[in-house]
Amino acid sequence: MPREQLQVLNALDVAKTQWYHFTAIVIAGMGFFTDAYDLFCISLVTKLLGRIYYYQPGSDTPGALPSNVSSAVNGVAFCGTLSGQLFFGWLGDKMGRKRVYGMTLMTMVICSIACGLSFGKNPTAVMSTLCFCRFWLGFGIGGDYPLSATIMSEYANKKTRGAFIAAVFAMQGFGILAGGMVAIIISATFRAQFPAPAYEVDPAGSTVPQADYAWRIIVMFGAIPAALTYYWRMKMPETARYTALVAKNAKQAASDMAKVLEVELESEPEKIEKMSQEKGNDFGLFSTQFARRHGLHLLGTTTTWFLLDIAFYSQNLFQKDIFSAIGWIPKAKTMNALEEVFKIARAQTLIALCSTVPGYWFTVALIDKIGRFAIQLMGFFFMTVFMFALAIPYHHWTLPDHRIGFVVMYSLTFFFANFGPNATTFVVPAEIFPARLRSTCHGISAAAGKAGAIVGAFGFLYAADGIGVRKTLLILGVINFLGMIFTFLVPESKGKSLEEISGEGEQENGSPAESRQTVPV
């Protein structure tokens, strides 16, 4: 039976797009800008780290990170992110979105700087401290996922909610782009100031001592955009849905949103009181009622995000290896250390500019028109098609005449990941669960995604070495196909209020005995 909605929540649902919506997108989005920058900038400097710290005198090829060190440097931030998503997701439902939001940002700022200050010249010391700092950097980044998505979904109106949440996530594209551009500028500046011969001409002289500063500056730069947003994050009021539906403070919710929306709103404490006395909408995460109402939804959001991230992160983190394999980046020994950083960054920036960033904004433009389900299904379908198209005739793509075709196909898989499940897996969990469990469930879904990223980051490294790039691409194609199948478990949330989707707008007609079965978290 439908319950009459609180006036303050209805006002948010029907509000026209206003300045505060764009402010919220930028404030939440700068966190994602930093997230993407920090997670992906490391892939730009791993070859430089190998040259600096693992140089072998007399070797024909430049120094490279041992595979276990490379896996740790790339994967440890994902382990931290997974932990942060679960912890801060849960904390966001217990303490409120706003109170936890500043913690995540300060963690990101401090750890970004700490990564660049990794101790000493000894390889073990530098890599150990870098991995330690990147774990805690990931922990802060992890908290940003459930909190940014939940805050944006609870602030947005129902007509354009999908576009607003997707716009926050789309800032990742600019973060990846910024990572490439900062690396290009830093490496070009250092190359101009400290010229060096190619490795094959002078192995020791090809890596100038100042290169040790270059990677540290690139890594630390991620702290700047996060620090700039801290003040504005602290000024944002708590979301009305948390204040009214979870904290049960109708007066505060109405007061906060009256300022934001610039309208008069009634506090309606009697409605809040009545809702808090009703049984049936107080079930916890580990209850039979949650399993019955949202169990399949949670299974759908976790599995699709898990499968997507295996494919997405293995592609993204190791695109430099694919570029080298097809000859887009020259052989390492023909370049000096800073020139190699420049070439890898240039390739990644071109991919981001041509496919990653446009894909995100196609989602923003169309998500509230064609819906989340259609975009996710279509994205997984085309990712499957392009993966098989790359893998089956793989030898054909490695021939010099067809390299541009390979890059175009590879770019299209990125385009349909971002105009597809990479955006929708972030949007949907912020909409379909009840307010008191929304941040937790988004955190669980995102953590499943990061588990997939860990499989991608660690698994792809060994798979490509052991079974070759072609078979690895075939496996990724199958993973994308499975993502398409599990998409059918995820409901469409386009154009509905959050309470309508999650069932909070419904009164439970179950018996008292049924109500007593719930086990609140």
Side-chain angles (χ1 to χ4, degrees):
M1 190 176 108
R3 179 197 285 132
E4 192 184 344
Q5 194 180 26
L6 286 168
Q7 188 190 29
V8 64
L9 304 187
N10 187 56
L12 282 167
D13 278 342
V14 300
K16 288 187 170 68
T17 301
Q18 295 174 36
W19 182 246
Y20 82 89
H21 286 124
F22 295 109
T23 310
I25 289 169
V26 171
I27 294 167
M30 284 314 285
F32 269 86
F33 177 95
T34 310
D35 298 350
Y37 182 95
D38 286 329
L39 286 176
F40 290 113
C41 73
I42 200 68
S43 70
L44 298 173
V45 297
T46 45
K47 293 215 170 172
L48 179 59
L49 290 170
R51 284 186 185 240
I52 295 169
Y53 297 109
Y54 292 90
Y55 165 63
Q56 300 287 338
S59 170
D60 287 341
T61 54
L65 295 184
S67 58
N68 62 329
V69 175
S70 180
S71 283
V73 169
N74 281 316
V76 75
F78 294 140
C79 299
T81 305
L82 189 154
S83 312
Q85 285 162 336
L86 292 172
F87 176 72
F88 286 115
W90 169 78
L91 206 61
D93 282 333
K94 292 293 169 199
M95 289 176 60
R97 298 25 166 156
K98 183 196 167 177
R99 285 175 71 186
V100 183
Y101 213 24
M103 295 181 207
T104 63
L105 202 69
M106 284 318 294
T107 308
M108 282 155 59
V109 171
I110 293 163
C111 294
S112 276
I113 294 166
C115 283
L117 300 175
S118 298
F119 311 143
K121 297 273 182 186
N122 178 285
T124 308
V126 173
M127 293 303 144
S128 301
T129 49
L130 179 62
C131 287
F132 176 80
C133 295
R134 280 186 63 75
F135 175 86
W136 291 106
L137 171 65
F139 192 71
I141 286 171
D144 226 52
Y145 275 72
L147 292 166
S148 289
T150 303
I151 284 171
M152 200 63 240
S153 76
E154 293 182 346
Y155 262 112
N157 60 48
K158 61 185 179 184
K159 189 179 172 188
T160 54
R161 185 179 59 238
F164 289 158
I165 306 171
V168 168
F169 195 63
M171 294 297 280
Q172 269 199 338
F174 290 123
I176 295 168
L177 200 57
M181 290 169 74
V182 168
I184 286 170
I185 292 163
I186 300 292
S187 58
T189 306
F190 273 73
R191 273 172 73 199
Q193 291 294 316
F194 311 105
Y199 183 86
E200 59 190 356
V201 176
D202 179 2
S206 67
T207 307
V208 294
Q210 291 82 1
D212 195 38
Y213 296 110
W215 75 264
R216 294 172 188 273
I217 293 167
I218 292 167
V219 166
M220 284 199 280
F221 189 85
I224 296 170
L228 292 174
T229 18
Y230 183 76
Y231 170 75
W232 298 106
R233 278 199 180 188
M234 292 299 90
K235 279 191 72 178
M236 280 178 93
E238 182 58 85
T239 71
R241 286 184 159 91
Y242 182 85
T243 309
L245 299 175
V246 184
K248 312 288 187 197
N249 188 339
K251 190 174 179 184
Q252 187 64 48
S255 164
D256 287 344
M257 291 308 108
K259 287 177 198 161
V260 168
L261 296 168
E262 297 177 352
V263 292
E264 286 295 318
L265 293 168
E266 285 181 51
S267 61
E268 304 179 297
E270 65 290 338
K271 269 194 198 172
I272 296 273
E273 184 64 31
K274 187 181 172 191
M275 285 162 66
S276 63
Q277 288 170 358
E278 285 171 4
K279 291 290 179 189
N281 264 327
D282 57 353
F283 55 83
L285 184 64
F286 303 108
S287 66
T288 51
Q289 267 179 289
F290 179 86
R292 182 163 54 81
R293 283 197 191 184
H294 300 292
L296 283 177
H297 298 163
L298 189 58
L299 178 66
T301 57
T302 49
T303 50
T304 51
W305 208 335
F306 174 76
L307 293 164
L308 163 80
D309 273 12
I310 293 176
F312 185 77
Y313 278 90
S314 57
Q315 277 174 249
N316 222 328
L317 281 170
F318 302 99
Q319 60 181 227
K320 63 183 186 298
D321 298 324
I322 290 170
F323 290 148
S324 298
I326 62 157
W328 228 44
I329 292 170
K331 285 197 170 7
K333 66 181 182 181
T334 66
M335 299 181 281
N336 66 41
L338 290 166
E339 187 182 357
E340 188 175 35
V341 174
F342 180 86
K343 294 271 173 70
I344 293 168
R346 187 178 64 181
Q348 182 157 317
T349 306
L350 280 170
I351 285 284
L353 203 56
C354 300
S355 64
T356 310
V357 174
Y360 282 119
W361 292 99
F362 264 77
T363 304
V364 173
L366 296 172
I367 192 166
D368 288 309
K369 293 182 173 66
I370 61 178
R372 289 77 163 141
F373 178 82
I375 288 177
Q376 186 162 313
L377 199 66
M378 175 199 67
F380 270 128
F381 173 77
F382 282 111
M383 285 171 75
T384 308
V385 168
F386 288 121
M387 275 292 173
F388 285 132
L390 285 172
I392 294 165
Y394 181 68
H395 177 70
H396 167 86
W397 296 116
T398 58
L399 300 173
D401 292 347
H402 304 130
R403 283 172 181 167
I404 296 300
F406 183 97
V407 173
V408 169
M409 297 280 278
Y410 188 72
S411 298
L412 283 168
T413 61
F414 268 115
F415 176 80
F416 281 106
N418 294 313
F419 179 36
N422 194 36
T424 54
T425 51
F426 176 79
V427 172
V428 174
E431 300 180 309
I432 62 176
F433 299 107
R436 68 188 175 282
L437 300 171
R438 187 169 290 133
S439 179
T440 305
C441 289
H442 195 285
I444 292 167
S445 304
K450 276 299 166 286
I454 292 164
V455 172
F458 287 83
F460 189 95
L461 196 68
Y462 295 109
D465 286 346
I467 62 173
V469 176
R470 181 178 180 269
K471 286 183 180 171
T472 307
L473 289 170
L474 282 170
I475 292 166
L476 294 178
V478 172
I479 287 166
N480 289 329
F481 178 74
L482 289 173
M484 193 166 72
I485 302 300
F486 278 103
T487 295
F488 287 95
L489 294 176
V490 181
E492 180 57 76
S493 48
K494 181 183 75 160
K496 298 174 183 172
S497 78
L498 293 175
E499 289 67 44
E500 187 184 347
I501 306 160
S502 65
E504 284 173 295
E506 300 289 316
Q507 285 177 308
E508 185 75 14
N509 291 325
S511 65
E514 191 177 341
S515 295
R516 281 195 297 273
Q517 287 177 351
T518 61
V519 185
V521 173

